[in-house]
Amino acid sequence: MNAPFTAHQPTPPGTGKTTLARLTAAELKAAHLRIDAIEAAVIRSGLAEPPLGPVGYVVAHEVAASCLVVGASVVVDAVSPVPAARAGWLELARASGTSVRLIEVVVSDPAEHRRRVEARRSDVTGLVVPTWRQVTAVAYEPWDAGRDGPRLVVANDGSPDDAMVRVRAYLSKI
């Protein structure tokens, strides 16, 4: 696989987005830019308090641009629930002259998704994982392929290895 820029989005927490992003980054030998980790670091630094708004995305865009300009592949791990956030990744790919592959991770069974959200534990110091109520309260605006570009929807209902079969196939088409 040789994907310069991959973004796992618009994906609610608890679907396995980070797990698949890590696996993808490891296979590509790419930078893994996780919005949650960036936001937790900003909060730990004392520079801001939640909610952060676009801070994590702005920082991730700059780091991704720096990686892409030197030819390094990037995997962005972001929710990007609204068109403006998605547009930023598409514009970054255009501006850097790289291809982009967008991946949306879902869990088909709402009860299983809820179980995963409620079982989550933070793996980043200072990152507070959202509750099921918080996850379902976010307005995830529907994807519009004409506006947001094409994407792969991966049902992460089994093991991450099963989902990665589809991710690999999608990325191999670059």
Side-chain angles (χ1 to χ4, degrees), residues 1-3 28 101 165-174:
M1 281 185 285
N2 184 15
L28 296 174
R101 288 291 188 255
V165 170
R166 295 209 48 222
V167 170
R168 282 185 203 101
Y170 180 63
L171 295 179
S172 70
K173 296 175 185 172
I174 294 176

Side-chain angles (χ1 to χ4, degrees), residues 20 152 154-168:
L20 296 181
L152 170 69
V154 175
N156 192 20
D157 296 327
S159 74
D161 291 336
D162 295 338
M164 283 300 294
V165 170
R166 295 209 48 222
V167 170
R168 282 185 203 101

